[in-house]
Amino acid sequence: MEDLSFILNELGEDRAHYYNAVSPPIMQTSNFRVNTVEGLKKLFADEYSGYLYSRGLNPTVDILRKKLAALDEAEDCLVFNSGAAAIFAAVLANTRQGDHIISVKNPYTWVKRMFDDIFSRFGVETTYIEATEMEQFERARRANSRFIYLESPNSWNFALQDIEKVSEFAKKYGLITLMDNTFCSPLYQKPIAMGIDMAMQTATKYIGGHSDTLGGILTGSRQMMKKIFDSEYLAVGSGIQPFNAWLLIRGLRTLESRLERITATTQQVLRYLKNHPRVEAVLFPLDESFPQYALARKQMKNAGGLISFYVKAGSRQEIVRFCENLKHIMMAVSWGGHESLILPRCASIKDEDFDPQNLEDRMLRLYVGLESAEYITGDLEQSFLLSF
Ligand SMILES: *Cc1c(COP(=O)(O)O)cnc(C)c1O
């Protein structure tokens, strides 16, 4: 891989072209002047070859694409206006009526909606599997299987897939693989280097890093990215806007240092939670207690700031109080930004269905942000004392 510092600070930037400005300009233009009819002809024939219209290529977005492709050790990259848009384009481009998809059991919520509510309407069926053993893939495979959807680790329970083994399986049967790598980011895991065809990550999380923009990243071969660009990307118009691309370039400058800080703080918060009498168990892929710890060690360089834990609660109300009594840690979806966040599983369960005997119902997901470990554990501590 190219040097990380080089990628984040220089790659893709051509400062001589814009007055040697250190920060690149935002090319806030919808269209580009073309000087000759011959030039227009060439762009109409292949819009991936130059600048014509910002629904296609844009120079600010291109700086970002080069950096993100290099981070994933991929040939090429497309950036979308959200992670969901990136996934949708990748699946749409590679399936047709009558195809079959094999997916991990609990993909990101909106991915499941895509498969169940949208692709199903066009005759594309999905089989969900545990995806922890290769024989589950063998059993799910049909003659019309075309696509494998992976997410490792999962962003709630951190379930992993053996990426190298699944890649081998997919190659053997000519299936296309897409993996959601948002949990790790390219700094901690490299799906493409392990044989996956396309890696996706939400730029909304670690890449943006400041909870102020959405974005979705798709990396893969030049041929695959061009195929998606020529059809779904241009036809649907789901590419990222130049200003948001600029925010993501800005986010990338500090990606390495933010992740280092978050990773270190997470270790301290994890230790605190593991030792807390109100915590029944913690889930963290790089904790020795994690069921797939060995696999996590094998394929992940590190883990980021997500920790799930189960509280010893006798009622839903205790969990509600715990979340609402936090003074600094906010209750919000998303993660990867500067701010620590909490999300209780019971918010997705009907009140009457809450079962204190069920461990899953007592699950909370904590995202550790850029605050100090003391600030975060102090807030957890005061809320534990007040709420139980
Ligand atoms: C947030 C998230 C997504 C969706 O990304 P958006 O940018 O919100 O569309 C997909 N996968 C995972 C694991 C996520 O956390």
Side-chain angles (χ1 to χ4, degrees), residues 32-133:
F32 298 85
R33 187 184 75 181
V34 185
N35 296 320
T36 62
V37 173
E38 203 45 47
L40 258 185
K41 240 178 100 177
K42 186 169 165 270
L43 284 163
F44 286 163
D46 179 12
E47 206 173 322
Y48 214 37
S49 68
Y51 300 120
L52 175 69
Y53 190 52
S54 283
R55 174 149 40 79
L57 298 181
N58 173 282
T60 308
V61 178
D62 276 355
I63 295 173
L64 180 63
R65 287 176 55 217
K66 285 179 188 144
K67 290 182 189 294
L68 293 170
L71 283 181
D72 261 346
E73 295 176 30
E75 280 175 19
D76 203 356
C77 167
L78 290 175
V79 189
F80 295 79
N81 61 25
S82 74
I87 296 165
F88 190 65
V91 180
L92 196 60
N94 287 290
T95 51
R96 57 181 178 220
Q97 191 172 36
D99 281 347
H100 175 241
I101 297 171
I102 301 171
S103 169
V104 288
K105 193 174 160 206
N106 294 303
Y108 180 70
T109 320
W110 290 97
V111 174
K112 193 153 190 323
R113 295 272 180 92
M114 274 180 219
F115 292 157
D116 293 349
D117 300 348
I118 303 176
F119 284 101
S120 64
R121 298 207 309 263
F122 301 94
V124 176
E125 244 191 286
T126 305
T127 301
Y128 297 97
I129 61 171
E130 212 63 54
T132 45
E133 306 291 334

Side-chain angles (χ1 to χ4, degrees), residues 82-84 87 108 151 155 180 182 200 202 204-205 214-215 335:
S82 74
I87 296 165
Y108 180 70
E151 182 185 332
S155 65
D180 185 337
T182 306
M200 173 274 157
T202 317
T204 316
K205 312 288 161 63
L214 279 87
W335 49 279

Side-chain angles (χ1 to χ4, degrees), residues 302-318:
N302 220 320
L306 288 179
I307 302 172
S308 287
F309 61 102
Y310 305 101
V311 286
K312 290 178 192 160
S315 71
R316 186 174 182 278
Q317 201 47 40
E318 285 176 333

Side-chain angles (χ1 to χ4, degrees), residues 133-157:
E133 306 291 334
M134 286 319 296
E135 66 201 33
Q136 295 154 354
F137 285 88
E138 296 278 0
R139 269 203 307 275
R141 192 182 71 85
R142 302 181 194 164
N144 60 342
S145 296
R146 181 176 298 269
F147 202 90
I148 299 183
Y149 187 84
L150 307 166
E151 182 185 332
S152 185
N154 174 283
S155 65
W156 266 93
N157 62 20

Side-chain angles (χ1 to χ4, degrees), residues 344-383:
R345 195 71 188 170
C346 67
S348 318
I349 304 166
K350 281 189 207 140
D351 290 9
E352 61 270 26
D353 290 346
F354 181 86
D355 175 9
Q357 305 297 324
N358 187 351
L359 200 58
E360 291 300 310
D361 291 10
R362 290 183 275 122
M363 188 184 203
L364 292 149
R365 187 184 76 181
L366 176 69
Y367 165 68
V368 176
L370 289 168
E371 306 93 329
S372 71
E374 297 72 31
Y375 192 74
I376 297 165
T377 56
D379 195 21
L380 293 167
E381 186 63 24
Q382 65 82 25
S383 188

